[in-house]
Amino acid sequence: MAKDKIRRPRAETPKGFRDYFGAEVTARAAMLRRIADVYHAYGFDALETSGVETVEALGKFLPDVDRPNEGVFAWQEDVEGSKPGDWLALRYDLTAPLARVYAQHRNDLPTPYRRYAMGPVWRNEKPGPGRFRQFYQCDADTVGAPSVAADAEICAMLADTLEAVGIARGDYIVRVNNRKVLNGVMEVAGVLDPFDPEKFAAERGIVLRAIDKLDRLGTDGVRMLLGEGRKDESGDFTKGAGLGPEQAKVVMGFMEARRDTAEATLARLRELVGPSAMGSEGVDELETIAGLLDSQGMGPDRVVIDPSVVRGLGYYTGPVFEAELTFEILDEKGRARQFGSVAGGGRYDDLVKRFTGQAVPATGVSIGVDRLLAALAAKGRGEAEAQGPVVVTVMDRDRMADYQAMASELRAAGIRAEVYLGNPKNFGNQMKYADRRGSPVAVIEGADEKDRGVVQIKDLILGAQIAKDATLEEWKDRPSQIEVPRHELVERVRAMLESQSS
Amino acid sequence: MAKDKIRRPRAETPKGFRDYFGAEVTARAAMLRRIADVYHAYGFDALETSGVETVEALGKFLPDVDRPNEGVFAWQEDVEGSKPGDWLALRYDLTAPLARVYAQHRNDLPTPYRRYAMGPVWRNEKPGPGRFRQFYQCDADTVGAPSVAADAEICAMLADTLEAVGIARGDYIVRVNNRKVLNGVMEVAGVLDPFDPEKFAAERGIVLRAIDKLDRLGTDGVRMLLGEGRKDESGDFTKGAGLGPEQAKVVMGFMEARRDTAEATLARLRELVGPSAMGSEGVDELETIAGLLDSQGMGPDRVVIDPSVVRGLGYYTGPVFEAELTFEILDEKGRARQFGSVAGGGRYDDLVKRFTGQAVPATGVSIGVDRLLAALAAKGRGEAEAQGPVVVTVMDRDRMADYQAMASELRAAGIRAEVYLGNPKNFGNQMKYADRRGSPVAVIEGADEKDRGVVQIKDLILGAQIAKDATLEEWKDRPSQIEVPRHELVERVRAMLESQSS
């Protein structure tokens, strides 16, 4: 074989993908577990679909339609005989698979069907800094419940979930709005005709996305997008909705309708939607939601009515909600900024209809798990780094059996432990390894110790401290390495570990 | 829009994929957690790679090369400018990504690197009954440890893991062998020339796969595959390795070399490998492994040396191991058969070399989580079905707030609870819903109860029993529905739940 002619493969993740190590993995797993516990307590059942769906079942409901590289990872199945293969794709969210599952299994599922799902989703987007093409979502949805009580429940559950994963009350807010109110406002502004719902659909799409960018563009930017359009810093021009000044004023009024109390906000919204039947229905629904939340002790410190929330997705038909973290973090340039949104959702009554022809009411929320983990890390409330194992060093390679027996005894006592399995020749390398592993304790048994029936146990945490800043007295007073009888190994290691955590 | 012209999408999973509901999801999650706990105790760190890799990084190491439809799901990235896009694919196992990760991050990882990984993998195979194109794997590997102490550790960990997930000692056995011994035997049989390792490679591949099929084909079937070949029941002919009767006899002797004790088996293997240096090295390694396991209290009731284990994968270079469940289950035709293999692995020293040019010793195990779950279910030791929620029924749709408050109080006390969110008009439907959810208790508060400050709580478990087989006396003695003061709701529901589980 002409081996040197073979080009070696590159050892690289594909662009936009990444690896997660150690505590990154276990912290996420722990968070998903806590979220699942809350969802479960609310009566939601787990569902896990596969990562692969047919392209036709997924449909085209991707958010952010104004970005050109948006898409899915798709491929065609192998041909069988004369039949062309199906097109398959990786799921881009957990909602499209839910609609497929409900349509497929509706006769076997309870109605309403409350389900939660957690797992990776894939987006065939242009990767960017901190923007990955695979990420986790964690969703809860109720299918088959027309009442806004289902929406209120999801909002309450979202607030409870954030607290369960470690976001303190006061550090988050769940904001609720209703697309029907926005539609009422659009009616008043003359960009929605209730007798011809398709008319002005493109304009309304632009209005929706403009409002969704309020945080980023400010009111002036949004006003430009409602009118002729807006040129961004790079010089790119985004076409606006073409609304006149009076029309834009009505829409801007909606965005800024939030008042100090729910009552006052609802009253202001009633003024704005005026004679629109759909608008009034939307305000009624918000009022019902506010009442239901109140009865569960969900005050305005946890959930508020906020008309500036619209959510970018086209498929929402009623209440929409968003959870925002309200504390400030420092961005990459050291500037304080609000952390922002970590979850969102709303009512979407038409997704199942694609399959069955029958409208099925549905509402749900999706939590951005990776963003929430980043938020907790920024607050210093992330999971503690997993403790490294006790490392049993190898002084004599012919006595591996003795060392394995020690590790085995430690593990049987519930202590994470391992034998050093690299080349044992250089003891310094073994200590470097223990350091890299974050080991709290090293166990050492050379020929001399073996003869005398003892082992050395070395406190690596204390050792590191002493190396850094202890005086000679302190060092003598509390040596970082002690000799103990072999048969006391487990209890003495345990005592050392306890002294470290106290 | 001409809506009726639009063909509705089919609500179907793609062929060979499936959905998992409720307890199927939570039971797997619980098992993965238990496995991760054992791996962690042994000093292994979590790693999570993405589902997508470049085709060149994955390489072609798929098992079962004699099946024609074997393959990966792959697609080409969009072209950027004049550069053709990379080919990407879904990972088909967790070992190939580990090799890529170790090559990519080797300067930042400890050596040896012990890691575990769990998650779905995808195979583009022809789906069949019980054979899915996405399934879970759960792997642990040690990279950078040349010593067979690493292999022994994996075997011990595998035995501990099986017990941790609920397989009793005696219901499983971990069997260990060594490819070097097999190579020694091949040398003796004249199908391996140590000075020209590529010669007879195809024949040795056939021998390997033939031995791997011993369970399925029996000794006669294997002997045919070692010789000219074998026609199966369907009439298909599989070409054999072309060994003469004397050569085949040597190989068959190897497969049947297991004796009552490790010592006797090792002695028999020494006879068989005779003058082969590689064969002797292999027997020495097995002897070391046996000694290390013994020192950890891993007796032959848990791990045995068994020369009939070879594992189908071409890339193993040293020790190989397999965990088998030894109890019988009834197959789909009602016949008793052994459950068989649930995990396997071995030493593969060349996977990282593909990337770096440097051989890196590695060894690991992969647990077939879905098979293991099926085994536990067959033994009746699966997770108990998750308990359904307490259902608060809706007698008056204007009082949703009251019902939500009840559910909220129950949840605050740690009791899974929900309000019925379907159309409340027909009370019978609410009871049917509670039944489908497996609810233990229903709460009922109509206008009359509201006025009197009481609620009805209905024991649905007892109710179902009574409906089935209670006498009138029993029914009077322990009514399945009781009236309790509203303010005692939580404690009385709790008492009812406790009476059910006692």
Side-chain angles (χ1 to χ4, degrees):
Chain A
M1 244 168 57
K3 273 189 183 159
D4 32 10
K5 278 193 187 163
I6 297 172
R7 195 179 75 83
R8 285 195 197 123
R10 287 166 298 168
E12 282 172 18
T13 45
K15 276 191 215 81
F17 293 89
R18 58 162 292 197
D19 302 314
Y20 296 84
F21 294 91
E24 292 174 332
V25 179
T26 50
R28 181 162 57 201
M31 175 179 280
L32 291 175
R33 214 145 58 221
R34 279 192 206 105
I35 296 174
D37 284 345
V38 178
Y39 287 177
H40 182 260
Y42 270 81
F44 286 69
D45 276 350
L47 169 68
E48 188 169 332
T49 62
S50 70
V52 179
E53 297 275 346
T54 65
V55 165
E56 75 167 296
L58 282 182
K60 296 208 171 291
F61 291 94
L62 277 169
D64 303 323
V65 287
D66 49 351
R67 262 183 297 142
N69 280 310
E70 187 65 64
V72 297
F73 293 107
W75 63 91
Q76 194 170 15
E77 284 261 65
D78 297 335
V79 182
E80 259 185 271
S82 60
K83 246 184 72 189
D86 281 341
W87 275 89
L88 303 184
L90 292 177
R91 65 182 178 203
Y92 55 80
D93 72 4
L94 301 173
T95 310
L98 170 62
R100 193 267 305 151
V101 165
Y102 190 79
Q104 182 172 351
H105 300 281
R106 62 190 183 281
N107 295 327
D108 303 316
L109 291 171
T111 296
Y113 177 47
R114 286 178 176 93
R115 87 89 181 77
Y116 71 87
M118 27 192 62
V121 301
W122 293 266
R123 301 268 170 97
N124 190 2
E125 303 182 317
K126 218 184 165 75
R131 184 186 195 87
F132 296 100
R133 303 208 284 175
Q134 171 175 328
F135 54 93
Y136 267 76
Q137 285 191 339
C138 179
D139 286 21
D141 293 80
T142 302
V143 182
S147 154
V148 292
D151 304 272
E153 178 178 272
I154 298 259
C155 292
M157 185 166 75
L158 181 53
D160 277 347
T161 300
L162 292 172
E163 294 186 15
V165 302
I167 307 288
R169 202 168 296 184
D171 276 349
Y172 71 91
I173 193 77
V174 177
R175 305 187 295 153
V176 194
N177 193 11
N178 195 321
R179 278 286 176 83
K180 289 179 184 170
V181 180
L182 175 60
N183 283 338
V185 169
M186 300 251 215
E187 219 178 300
V188 170
V191 281
L192 174 65
D193 177 351
F195 300 102
D196 185 2
E198 299 296 328
K199 204 172 157 187
F200 304 122
E203 285 81 359
R204 288 198 302 276
I206 296 173
V207 170
L208 203 62
R209 292 193 292 278
I211 300 178
D212 203 33
K213 288 176 185 156
L214 176 63
D215 275 3
R216 201 142 46 86
L217 304 182
T219 47
D220 287 348
V222 173
R223 195 173 287 126
M224 278 187 262
L225 284 176
L226 295 178
E228 291 309 311
R230 177 178 173 275
K231 196 179 277 186
D232 69 16
E233 285 155 24
S234 73
D236 285 346
F237 184 76
T238 308
K239 195 175 169 296
L243 270 55
E246 279 306 306
Q247 291 180 300
K249 200 174 150 196
V250 174
V251 173
M252 298 298 294
F254 167 74
M255 275 168 49
E256 293 158 352
R258 182 167 164 193
R259 299 291 177 267
D260 284 343
T261 63
E263 292 70 30
T265 304
L266 290 167
R268 173 69 184 135
L269 288 175
R270 281 204 197 283
E271 280 171 36
L272 284 169
V273 299
S276 160
M278 175 169 273
S280 294
E281 191 182 317
V283 181
D284 289 347
E285 288 183 1
L286 280 178
E287 195 163 16
T288 304
I289 289 173
L292 286 168
L293 290 168
D294 199 52
S295 72
Q296 291 172 70
M298 291 272 161
D301 55 335
R302 306 181 71 188
V303 189
V304 295
I305 307 288
D306 184 342
S308 72
V309 176
V310 297
R311 309 287 303 156
L313 273 172
Y315 62 56
Y316 291 125
T317 55
V320 286
F321 24 85
E322 192 161 87
E324 198 180 309
L325 302 190
T326 51
F327 54 80
E328 290 189 333
I329 55 154
L330 297 181
D331 69 10
E332 54 282 13
K333 290 179 184 159
R335 293 170 306 204
R337 62 166 182 84
Q338 294 238 313
F339 192 89
S341 172
V342 289
R347 178 164 286 271
Y348 52 99
D349 287 343
D350 293 333
L351 275 190
V352 178
K353 192 178 179 182
R354 290 179 59 232
F355 296 101
T356 62
Q358 271 185 308
V360 178
T363 183
V365 67
S366 182
I367 295 182
V369 178
D370 295 315
R371 269 186 71 74
L372 198 47
L373 281 168
L376 285 169
K379 280 290 255 190
R381 290 194 210 136
E383 296 285 309
E385 192 73 19
Q387 187 167 51
V390 171
V391 169
V392 179
T393 59
V394 175
M395 303 302 284
D396 178 352
R397 67 167 81 212
D398 291 333
R399 289 204 296 108
M400 286 302 281
D402 291 347
Y403 303 130
Q404 286 289 4
M406 289 183 204
S408 187
E409 283 169 37
L410 289 165
R411 283 194 293 263
I415 297 167
R416 190 182 192 205
E418 57 168 59
V419 174
Y420 179 71
L421 287 180
N423 186 338
K425 209 169 168 189
N426 180 334
F427 189 71
N429 281 348
Q430 300 199 44
M431 284 296 108
K432 270 184 215 151
Y433 170 83
D435 184 50
R436 186 163 266 196
R437 292 302 314 274
S439 302
V441 172
V443 178
I444 305 161
E445 192 208 50
D448 172 59
E449 281 89 3
K450 173 77 177 171
D451 288 344
R452 293 189 293 118
V454 298
V455 293
Q456 306 285 338
I457 61 176
K458 194 173 167 70
D459 185 330
L460 300 173
I461 309 285
L462 183 64
Q465 275 171 17
I466 289 173
K468 232 170 71 185
D469 52 26
T471 64
L472 188 63
E473 265 82 70
E474 285 169 335
W475 185 86
K476 278 191 186 151
D477 200 39
R478 196 180 162 202
S480 69
Q481 181 171 325
I482 53 174
E483 185 174 296
V484 304
R486 169 66 182 83
H487 66 271
E488 289 178 15
L489 172 68
V490 171
E491 62 192 278
R492 300 297 287 267
V493 168
R494 193 201 306 279
M496 192 173 271
L497 291 170
E498 277 163 8
S499 79
Q500 289 170 349
S501 59
S502 65
Chain B
M1 243 167 63
K3 274 190 181 157
D4 33 10
K5 278 192 186 164
I6 297 169
R7 196 178 74 82
R8 287 196 196 121
R10 285 166 299 168
E12 283 172 16
T13 45
K15 276 190 216 79
F17 293 90
R18 57 161 292 192
D19 303 313
Y20 295 84
F21 294 91
E24 293 174 333
V25 179
T26 51
R28 181 162 59 202
M31 175 179 280
L32 291 174
R33 215 145 60 221
R34 280 194 204 103
I35 296 174
D37 285 345
V38 178
Y39 287 178
H40 182 261
Y42 270 82
F44 286 69
D45 276 350
L47 168 67
E48 187 169 333
T49 61
S50 70
V52 179
E53 297 275 345
T54 64
V55 164
E56 76 169 295
L58 282 184
K60 296 210 171 289
F61 290 95
L62 277 169
D64 302 323
V65 286
D66 50 352
R67 262 182 298 143
N69 280 308
E70 188 65 65
V72 297
F73 292 105
W75 63 91
Q76 194 170 16
E77 283 262 65
D78 298 336
V79 181
E80 258 187 89
S82 61
K83 245 182 72 188
D86 282 339
W87 275 89
L88 304 184
L90 293 178
R91 65 182 179 205
Y92 56 80
D93 72 4
L94 300 172
T95 310
L98 170 63
R100 193 266 305 151
V101 165
Y102 190 79
Q104 183 172 349
H105 300 281
R106 62 191 182 281
N107 295 328
D108 302 317
L109 291 172
T111 295
Y113 177 46
R114 286 179 177 92
R115 86 89 181 78
Y116 71 86
M118 29 192 61
V121 301
W122 293 265
R123 303 266 169 98
N124 190 3
E125 305 182 316
K126 215 183 168 71
R131 186 185 193 88
F132 296 100
R133 303 208 284 175
Q134 171 175 327
F135 53 92
Y136 267 76
Q137 285 192 337
C138 180
D139 285 21
D141 293 80
T142 302
V143 182
S147 153
V148 292
D151 303 273
E153 177 177 273
I154 298 257
C155 292
M157 186 166 74
L158 181 53
D160 277 348
T161 300
L162 291 173
E163 294 187 13
V165 302
I167 306 287
R169 201 167 297 183
D171 276 349
Y172 72 90
I173 193 77
V174 176
R175 305 187 296 153
V176 194
N177 192 13
N178 195 321
R179 278 285 176 83
K180 290 180 185 171
V181 180
L182 175 59
N183 283 338
V185 169
M186 301 250 215
E187 220 179 300
V188 171
V191 282
L192 175 66
D193 177 351
F195 300 102
D196 186 0
E198 298 297 326
K199 201 173 159 187
F200 304 122
E203 286 80 0
R204 287 198 302 279
I206 296 173
V207 169
L208 203 61
R209 291 193 292 279
I211 301 178
D212 204 31
K213 287 177 185 154
L214 176 63
D215 275 2
R216 203 142 46 82
L217 304 183
T219 45
D220 286 348
V222 173
R223 195 173 287 126
M224 280 186 258
L225 285 175
L226 294 177
E228 291 309 310
R230 177 178 174 276
K231 196 179 277 188
D232 69 15
E233 285 155 24
S234 74
D236 285 348
F237 184 77
T238 307
K239 196 178 169 297
L243 268 56
E246 278 308 306
Q247 291 178 301
K249 200 174 148 193
V250 174
V251 173
M252 297 298 295
F254 168 73
M255 273 168 48
E256 293 159 351
R258 183 167 163 194
R259 298 290 177 264
D260 283 344
T261 64
E263 292 71 29
T265 304
L266 291 166
R268 172 70 184 135
L269 289 175
R270 281 205 198 284
E271 279 173 35
L272 284 169
V273 298
S276 160
M278 174 168 275
S280 294
E281 191 181 319
V283 180
D284 288 347
E285 288 183 0
L286 280 178
E287 194 163 17
T288 304
I289 290 174
L292 286 168
L293 289 169
D294 199 49
S295 73
Q296 290 172 71
M298 291 273 160
D301 55 336
R302 306 181 72 188
V303 189
V304 295
I305 308 288
D306 183 342
S308 71
V309 175
V310 298
R311 309 288 304 156
L313 274 170
Y315 62 55
Y316 291 124
T317 53
V320 287
F321 23 86
E322 191 162 88
E324 196 181 311
L325 303 190
T326 51
F327 54 78
E328 290 190 335
I329 55 155
L330 296 181
D331 69 10
E332 53 282 13
K333 290 179 184 159
R335 292 171 304 204
R337 63 168 183 81
Q338 293 240 313
F339 193 88
S341 172
V342 291
R347 179 164 285 273
Y348 52 98
D349 286 342
D350 292 332
L351 276 189
V352 177
K353 193 177 179 184
R354 291 180 57 230
F355 296 101
T356 62
Q358 271 185 308
V360 177
T363 183
V365 67
S366 181
I367 294 181
V369 177
D370 295 316
R371 269 187 70 75
L372 199 47
L373 281 168
L376 285 169
K379 280 291 256 190
R381 289 194 210 134
E383 295 286 308
E385 192 70 21
Q387 187 166 52
V390 171
V391 170
V392 179
T393 59
V394 175
M395 302 300 285
D396 177 352
R397 67 167 81 211
D398 291 335
R399 289 203 295 109
M400 285 303 282
D402 291 347
Y403 303 130
Q404 287 288 5
M406 291 183 203
S408 187
E409 283 169 38
L410 289 165
R411 282 195 293 263
I415 298 168
R416 190 183 192 202
E418 57 168 57
V419 175
Y420 179 71
L421 287 180
N423 186 337
K425 210 170 164 187
N426 181 333
F427 188 72
N429 281 348
Q430 300 198 45
M431 285 296 106
K432 269 185 215 152
Y433 170 83
D435 183 50
R436 187 164 265 196
R437 293 301 315 274
S439 302
V441 173
V443 178
I444 306 160
E445 191 207 50
D448 170 59
E449 281 88 3
K450 172 75 177 172
D451 289 345
R452 294 188 292 120
V454 297
V455 293
Q456 307 285 337
I457 60 174
K458 194 175 168 69
D459 185 331
L460 300 174
I461 309 286
L462 183 63
Q465 275 170 17
I466 289 175
K468 231 171 70 185
D469 52 24
T471 64
L472 187 63
E473 265 81 73
E474 284 168 336
W475 186 85
K476 279 189 186 152
D477 200 40
R478 200 181 159 199
S480 70
Q481 182 171 324
I482 53 173
E483 185 174 297
V484 304
R486 168 67 182 84
H487 67 269
E488 288 179 15
L489 172 68
V490 170
E491 60 190 279
R492 300 297 285 269
V493 167
R494 193 201 306 279
M496 192 173 270
L497 291 171
E498 278 163 7
S499 79
Q500 289 171 351
S501 60
S502 64

